[in-house]
Amino acid sequence: MRNGLRAILGTVLVAVLLAGLLPVTPARAQGLPLIRDTEIELLLNDYSQSIFRAAGLGTGRVTVRIVNNEAFNAFVIDGRNVFMHTGTLMQANTPNEVIGVLAHEAGHIAGGHMAALRSRIAKDQTRALLVQLLGIGAMIGGAVSGGDSGREIGSAGQGVMMGGNELILRGLTAERRSQESAADQAGLQYLSATHQSGRGMLATFERFAGQELFSDAHKDAFARTHPVATDRLARLRQIVETSPYYKNTDPPELQFRHDMIRAKLSGYIEPPSVVFNRYQASDTSIPARYARAIASFRQGGGGLETALAGIDSLIRDRPNNPYFWEVKGDFLQKAGRAREAVGPLRKALQLHNGDAPLVGVQLAQSLLQTKDPKVADEAIGLLRKAVQKEPDNATAYNTLGQAYYDKGLMPQAELSRAQGLFYAGSLKMAQEFAKRAQAGLKAGSPDWVKADDIINYKPQT
């Protein structure tokens, strides 16, 4: 049990300490393996926005970020981000299960739990220092006095240190359990306010309740960071089952979209052999065909043509699905056929009514890869629109730097490169590029000021 408590504390400490690094780019600065995808992000946005509104978090304040990790887990480290593992999306059978997890994490944000933990840890660190000083003092006193009594005093000093740290640990984990229970209650309120069932949340916690008996080495991350006591689970079940919305189910179209992103993640992340076993040829559903097309591309060799044939068949069935066009463009671009990728990516962006920054960036990359100087201005327009929509999109800034370089606009190229490095968390290199950019820019101009902001930026400590 003691080792389990330490594991929980370690996870909490990591989450709290990481939150102090480069707040402008919390995810990248922490080295989390994030992935970006328009289809998945828009679905998670649809899952979360009504929940966030019910939690009083508004719209646009909190972002759901996707971590490439096979474990079932989700967590928060501040009031601006929910981190969702790909494993959660792939293992959750229904949208309601994911929505239940989001509701629980929204409860943590609305309750200010991470700020409370930071404050508690800061106090406990001070208390731990005092305990250590007392313990060290007792041990030094014992060493000086010598003899059996000295050894006894020295042992007492060690006991003070060990007992004090254990007391701090127990206090912190007790607070964590209280926060988990409060997040349950809040999450269920948000689900009720949006007329959604709590069955998904209950299924998640029932799934991991049995892992309380396992060693930490065999637990999923969610079970370690969200301990499920028997009485807590019983309270949760009672509330869920008495809700007037208990029997509500997910709309078929939402379930279809959920199945599609699970298939997409499987195709892009899992080994092709696993994908073909999971989505066998006898399964002619659209999600299964989607997964197999992507897995065929990742096989390499002659897999590209099979993949293109598979995605083209999906396009024939659903020509207004922008994600099929986007995936086709992705296949062609990654295969070195950038000129052929432009058309499908243009179509995908058109079907998004021009409002899909990630698609716009990939289209701009394909345009630049054609080495046709006539398309540089179009690429710059796409990239400038992308960074206006997503001011922290490092890839967009880096690609914009390449576009400016191709046009011979060196100060603008170096400024864009500086911005890309800054939002990727490479502050020192960003400041070097910003200085070079500033030397070629008119003093006091908007671009000069942007460079100056990077040069003088000091990370929070």
Side-chain angles (χ1 to χ4, degrees):
M1 180 63 177
R2 186 172 295 174
N3 288 336
L5 290 175
R6 287 200 178 97
I8 294 166
L9 176 60
T11 304
V12 172
L13 278 170
V14 168
V16 172
L17 294 176
L18 285 177
L21 298 176
L22 283 177
V24 291
T25 52
R28 293 190 186 94
Q30 292 151 25
L32 294 174
L34 297 186
I35 64 171
R36 299 288 315 274
D37 179 81
T38 300
E39 184 174 14
I40 302 172
E41 289 178 3
L42 288 178
L43 181 58
L44 287 174
N45 183 70
D46 287 347
Y47 284 168
S48 64
Q49 287 310 299
S50 63
I51 294 293
F52 291 162
R53 282 195 298 270
L57 303 176
T59 57
R61 170 185 157 187
V62 180
T63 301
V64 183
R65 300 183 185 272
I66 309 160
V67 181
N68 188 5
N69 189 298
E70 65 182 7
F72 190 112
N73 198 19
F75 56 93
V76 297
I77 60 173
D78 54 27
R80 301 182 304 275
N81 301 277
V82 173
F83 293 91
M84 178 77 66
H85 281 200
T86 53
T88 306
L89 300 173
M90 293 176 69
Q91 294 175 51
N93 292 316
T94 66
N96 188 247
E97 290 179 44
V98 179
I99 294 168
V101 171
L102 288 167
H104 178 89
E105 300 304 329
H108 281 306
I109 295 176
H113 294 166
M114 296 315 297
L117 277 172
R118 286 192 190 93
S119 176
R120 174 64 184 264
I121 288 170
K123 292 176 183 176
D124 284 343
Q125 285 175 333
T126 303
R127 191 185 309 166
L129 178 60
L130 291 173
V131 168
Q132 289 175 0
L133 288 174
L134 287 171
I136 291 169
M139 286 189 287
I140 292 173
V144 170
S145 64
D148 291 338
S149 62
R151 281 192 293 274
E152 290 169 3
I153 295 172
S155 297
Q158 291 178 345
V160 168
M161 292 176 67
M162 293 178 64
N165 285 332
E166 187 68 22
L167 183 64
I168 292 167
L169 181 62
R170 288 184 181 278
L172 186 58
T173 51
E175 183 167 340
R176 183 64 173 163
R177 284 194 298 271
S178 175
Q179 290 181 348
E180 287 300 319
S181 180
D184 292 344
Q185 303 295 319
L188 289 173
Q189 289 176 15
Y190 309 150
L191 289 168
S192 181
T194 55
H195 297 187
Q196 298 184 83
S197 174
R199 283 188 297 176
M201 182 190 291
L202 182 61
T204 295
F205 285 110
E206 285 181 331
R207 175 181 185 175
F208 290 104
Q211 294 199 25
E212 295 286 287
L213 303 175
F214 297 170
S215 70
D216 287 318
H218 297 93
K219 284 185 183 179
D220 272 291
F222 198 83
R224 288 198 302 270
T225 57
H226 297 73
V228 185
T230 303
D231 58 341
R232 174 186 166 202
L233 187 57
R235 288 194 302 271
L236 190 65
R237 185 180 296 110
Q238 181 181 17
I239 297 171
V240 169
E241 291 179 351
T242 55
S243 167
Y245 310 110
Y246 175 68
K247 293 185 178 180
N248 285 11
T249 58
D250 299 305
E253 183 57 27
L254 197 66
Q255 181 66 55
F256 174 77
R257 291 174 65 193
H258 183 73
D259 294 340
M260 290 294 285
I261 63 122
R262 294 176 73 197
K264 188 176 202 174
L265 285 168
S266 177
Y268 272 114
I269 293 175
E270 294 186 302
S273 59
V274 173
V275 181
F276 293 131
N277 186 56
R278 188 187 304 278
Y279 296 96
Q280 297 186 8
S282 58
D283 186 348
T284 59
S285 68
I286 289 178
R289 291 159 59 195
Y290 199 25
R292 290 197 299 268
I294 296 168
S296 296
F297 170 72
R298 292 184 58 239
Q299 273 190 313
L304 174 62
E305 296 309 317
T306 302
L308 289 172
I311 207 71
D312 281 341
S313 74
L314 289 169
I315 289 172
R316 283 194 295 273
D317 287 347
R318 295 207 173 188
N320 293 324
N321 185 314
Y323 310 114
F324 295 158
W325 291 100
E326 181 185 358
V327 167
K328 181 176 182 178
D330 184 58
F331 290 168
L332 291 165
Q333 185 198 39
K334 287 178 177 173
R337 293 160 61 173
R339 196 173 295 277
E340 294 174 69
V342 168
L345 290 171
R346 279 196 204 281
K347 181 67 174 179
L349 191 59
Q350 176 193 343
L351 290 169
H352 280 294
N353 296 316
D355 188 17
L358 297 182
V359 179
V361 170
Q362 191 165 17
L363 173 56
Q365 290 173 334
S366 295
L367 288 168
L368 294 173
Q369 288 166 12
T370 67
K371 301 301 181 183
D372 182 352
K374 292 182 290 187
V375 299
D377 287 336
E378 181 185 357
I380 289 172
L382 289 165
L383 294 163
R384 288 176 66 87
K385 184 175 182 179
V387 297
Q388 286 172 0
K389 183 82 172 178
E390 296 184 348
D392 63 348
N393 190 325
T395 301
Y397 278 115
N398 289 330
T399 309
L400 184 58
Q402 181 63 51
Y404 281 135
Y405 178 84
D406 289 349
K407 285 184 67 71
L409 302 171
M410 295 309 296
Q412 289 83 358
E414 288 173 330
L415 173 59
S416 296
R417 179 64 172 149
Q419 290 169 303
L421 289 164
F422 176 78
Y423 287 114
S426 300
L427 181 59
K428 186 175 179 180
M429 288 185 64
Q431 289 173 331
E432 291 174 1
F433 273 89
K435 289 175 184 176
R436 285 158 48 180
Q438 198 176 54
L441 295 167
K442 182 180 178 181
S445 67
D447 282 349
W448 187 95
V449 171
K450 291 174 185 175
D452 201 55
D453 287 343
I454 295 174
I455 293 167
N456 293 299
Y457 178 80
K458 300 234 179 330
Q460 295 179 359
T461 57

